Amino acid sequence: MTTNNLKKYRPHLHFAPKRNWMNDPNGLVYFKGEYHLFFQYHPNDSVWGPMHWGHAVSKNMIKWEELDIALYPDEFGMIFSGSAIVDWNNTTGFFPDEPGVVAIFTHHLENGEELPPVQTQSLAFSHDQGRTWTKYEGNPVLINDTKIDFRDPKVFWYEEADKWIMVVATGQTISFYSSPNLIDWQFESEFGNNIGVHDGVWECPDLFPLKVENSNEQRWVLIVSVGDNTQYDIGSQTQYFIGSFNGSTFIAENESINWLDFGKDNYAGVSFSDIPKEDGRRIYIGWMSNWRYANQVPTEGWRSQMTLPRQLSLRKSGDVCKLIQHPVKELEYFLSKEIEINGIIENEDGLKTYQVNKPYIEVVLNIEMLDANQFSLILHHTKEHMTTIDIDSIEKILKLDRSKSGIVDFSDNFSHDQMVALENTDEIQLRMVLDSSSIELFINRGEYALTSLIYPDQACEAISVYSSNGKVRFTNSYISTPLK
Ligand code: FRU
């Protein structure tokens, strides 16, 4: 394998392991000035296999330092997804001297060809900021005799009742447990029968309170990933519910289906634990891939990357709250405004093209459709490779077409259009981060996200804007390029 092949497609702004296979983000936790990212990792191959927890740390969530493997498989099985928390009050008894981190994860034990695997929940703790780990001697701490799918525990401290809450995926539902010490768990309730999308197995839940923008209201958000089902076209996807949680039961406030991302490549995402109160942000990272083709994407020597860390909030329109996503502000340290895009374009102008030639960029466009039927943003990765984003003001649809973006033939499904239905196309804001092998699009100040992998020979030679059948006006619009 040549270095060139190893480097090709490697992201600049996103975490990817140096070598080998990665899937879900695990154990996202902030402790003593460091953000920790653990992840599902196969250290010996670049396809999924016996799962370990890989580990990386960062001061800004954009540039990561990969550390040694944190958790290895053992007699209880592989180390599947889970979370990490700081045990500030030594509820576990693991930290008589000073607080440390506890990982709560799923042990997955293969059980021969005749019997299904066994999934149980276990603990490990660290006294040295996640550098070394001890598995709890009483593992597993939680078993379930009836559910085969019983995995991906996300744990948080529920202050109102001084207890830990675990949300864990149980097949087609999410179950809630509580504990005073992370060791003894009590079943509280189950959510998900007759609500939400059930096209695939439910995985990787997360539950947290969030403020509604510009108000004193708060809601609880339950994130649920829905696994790949080959009967459907879409592959793996993530949905969310908004509602209330009383320490025992989650109640959704409506029955609507909510997608966290309209692109194909954001799965198994969860949020950080223990972000300091003074900071107050709820920050999410997803796995930027799709189980439909994750094992086939054309990188060599390494596979998979994470989304940008995203700050979450809620925005209310009418009576309905929507989950809002923005790349974290730390991204700004890596970009500077370089090219302004202002004024009016119209169809007879043809394509208006800006030369870029950079390894990664951000594009912000504030668009007024005036009388145009369609607006297009064309990303020319190279002379041959391009991705197109079209906004159709008649159909009220935004569509991302990656069919000519580079290598696409590793999966039949990869070239399919990715679409968002918009309520209104008179004024649209697009914010896009383009890295070596990904596009993250945030529409209308984070109201919709669309995350999409691409495999062009390089990120960006030029970008063009174009309007059909009328005029489009840009204000405060620009391209940012790497900060020198
Ligand atoms: C989600 C998932 C989890 C599981 C892990 C195994 O992508 O299937 O449910 O814990 O991956 O690697």
Side-chain angles (χ1 to χ4, degrees):
M1 182 190 316
T2 63
T3 338
N4 193 25
N5 272 342
L6 267 176
K7 275 201 177 150
K8 199 166 170 188
Y9 311 129
R10 269 201 87 78
H12 300 277
L13 298 171
H14 296 81
F15 177 74
K18 287 202 180 75
R19 294 275 189 285
N20 294 318
W21 168 268
M22 173 178 83
N23 55 291
D24 315 356
N26 296 148
L28 300 178
V29 64
Y30 179 86
F31 187 48
K32 294 195 174 168
E34 287 178 323
Y35 295 92
H36 292 263
L37 163 64
F38 299 90
F39 48 90
Q40 288 287 279
Y41 188 51
H42 181 5
N44 306 317
D45 206 340
S46 52
V47 290
W48 191 87
M51 284 292 105
H52 299 53
W53 272 27
H55 187 198
V57 290
S58 174
K59 298 240 183 268
N60 53 36
M61 294 175 281
I62 304 292
K63 296 286 174 196
W64 295 89
E65 181 193 353
E66 193 173 339
L67 301 177
D68 290 343
I69 290 175
L71 298 174
Y72 287 78
D74 58 34
E75 71 268 33
F76 299 111
M78 303 179 193
I79 314 297
F80 269 22
S81 287
S83 50
I85 53 82
V86 182
D87 185 13
W88 295 106
N89 299 318
N90 193 24
T91 61
T92 52
F94 300 156
F95 306 103
D97 302 326
E98 52 171 335
V101 180
V102 183
I104 307 98
F105 58 90
T106 298
H107 261 127
H108 171 93
L109 190 65
E110 293 291 333
N111 214 356
E113 286 188 359
E114 313 275 286
L115 293 168
V118 177
Q119 301 191 329
T120 54
Q121 316 316 321
S122 289
L123 307 178
F125 53 92
S126 170
H127 291 284
D128 56 1
Q129 279 127 272
R131 268 54 178 186
T132 61
W133 290 86
T134 309
K135 303 234 181 74
Y136 173 55
E137 58 189 16
N139 279 345
V141 293
L142 184 58
I143 58 176
N144 185 317
D145 293 331
T146 54
K147 302 270 188 179
I148 296 170
D149 293 300
F150 180 47
R151 59 177 178 272
D152 312 334
K154 180 74 161 66
V155 170
F156 65 93
W157 182 248
Y158 184 70
E159 263 173 38
E160 292 81 340
D162 275 348
K163 60 183 184 181
W164 299 103
I165 298 291
M166 179 196 290
V167 280
V168 60
T170 37
Q172 289 292 323
T173 58
I174 300 303
S175 294
F176 301 83
Y177 290 82
S178 68
S179 171
N181 56 11
L182 300 177
I183 294 166
D184 305 301
W185 291 95
Q186 180 188 319
F187 175 77
E188 295 286 344
S189 68
E190 199 174 349
F191 170 85
N193 287 314
N194 308 317
I195 189 167
V197 173
H198 289 270
D199 293 349
V201 64
W202 283 19
E203 302 184 309
C204 300
D206 194 1
L207 176 69
F208 46 83
L210 262 191
K211 283 242 157 62
V212 178
E213 282 178 359
N214 307 319
S215 88
N216 294 324
E217 289 179 50
Q218 167 187 290
R219 297 283 191 287
W220 286 78
V221 179
L222 177 65
I223 294 181
V224 177
S225 285
V226 185
D228 186 20
N229 179 340
T230 46
Q231 275 186 345
Y232 305 100
D233 217 29
I234 193 79
S236 46
Q237 286 183 285
T238 307
Q239 63 181 329
Y240 67 89
F241 302 90
I242 292 186
S244 60
F245 180 68
N246 63 4
S248 174
T249 310
F250 175 83
I251 298 173
E253 65 186 21
N254 60 48
E255 306 237 318
S256 62
I257 305 292
N258 307 302
W259 295 118
L260 185 129
D261 202 300
F262 290 81
K264 284 187 183 246
D265 299 315
N266 181 2
Y267 191 66
V270 284
S271 68
F272 275 90
S273 183
D274 292 281
I275 301 271
K277 283 222 165 94
E278 316 83 80
D279 179 323
R281 288 179 293 175
R282 177 61 55 176
I283 300 169
Y284 162 100
I285 293 181
W287 173 46
M288 194 150 59
S289 199
N290 189 312
W291 278 119
R292 183 61 59 91
Y293 43 68
N295 280 280
Q296 285 87 41
V297 299
T299 56
E300 260 186 70
W302 61 280
R303 253 207 196 94
S304 291
Q305 50 188 310
M306 296 302 179
T307 66
L308 284 171
R310 301 175 182 183
Q311 183 176 351
L312 302 180
S313 59
L314 290 176
R315 190 176 298 156
K316 212 170 175 183
S317 85
D319 280 344
V320 180
C321 284
K322 273 193 181 164
L323 192 61
I324 303 298
Q325 303 172 59
H326 291 289
V328 292
K329 63 178 189 303
E330 286 82 346
L331 179 66
E332 289 163 23
Y333 308 156
F334 301 89
L335 290 159
S336 71
K337 277 189 199 174
E338 180 89 12
I339 302 168
E340 286 201 16
I341 304 179
N342 278 321
I344 292 180
I345 55 165
E346 54 186 314
N347 43 320
E348 49 260 35
D349 300 344
L351 291 186
K352 187 160 183 190
T353 300
Y354 302 83
Q355 291 305 317
V356 180
N357 286 313
K358 298 288 181 201
Y360 60 89
I361 58 168
E362 180 190 28
V363 180
V364 175
L365 298 178
N366 288 291
I367 306 164
E368 263 173 274
M369 284 298 252
L370 302 179
D371 54 350
N373 286 350
Q374 187 172 315
F375 164 74
S376 302
L377 169 65
I378 303 161
L379 315 173
H380 305 277
H381 309 298
T382 63
K383 300 262 175 308
E384 292 81 35
H385 297 163
M386 64 163 124
T387 301
T388 311
I389 296 161
D390 291 324
I391 298 169
D392 183 324
S393 63
I394 297 169
E395 302 285 329
K396 298 207 191 314
I397 283 194
L398 177 145
K399 182 178 87 183
L400 185 143
D401 175 355
R402 62 178 172 184
S403 62
K404 300 186 190 66
S405 60
I407 297 188
V408 297
D409 60 0
F410 53 89
S411 158
D412 293 345
N413 174 295
F414 191 75
S415 288
H416 296 176
D417 285 339
Q418 298 167 80
M419 288 191 279
V420 185
L422 301 167
E423 270 151 42
N424 183 330
T425 48
D426 298 345
E427 289 185 19
I428 296 163
Q429 196 224 32
L430 295 185
R431 180 172 180 195
M432 183 195 69
V433 180
L434 168 64
D435 200 347
S436 317
S437 48
S438 68
I439 296 169
E440 282 165 282
L441 190 61
F442 301 91
I443 304 159
N444 292 347
R445 292 174 182 75
E447 194 175 325
Y448 306 96
L450 193 160
T451 305
S452 180
L453 291 168
I454 45 166
Y455 296 98
D457 282 349
Q458 66 181 35
C460 191
E461 187 175 294
I463 76 162
S464 304
V465 287
Y466 176 70
S467 83
S468 307
N469 295 322
K471 296 193 186 66
V472 164
R473 179 172 27 226
F474 302 106
T475 41
N476 300 321
S477 300
Y478 55 87
I479 303 171
S480 294
T481 60
L483 195 68
K484 281 164 212 112

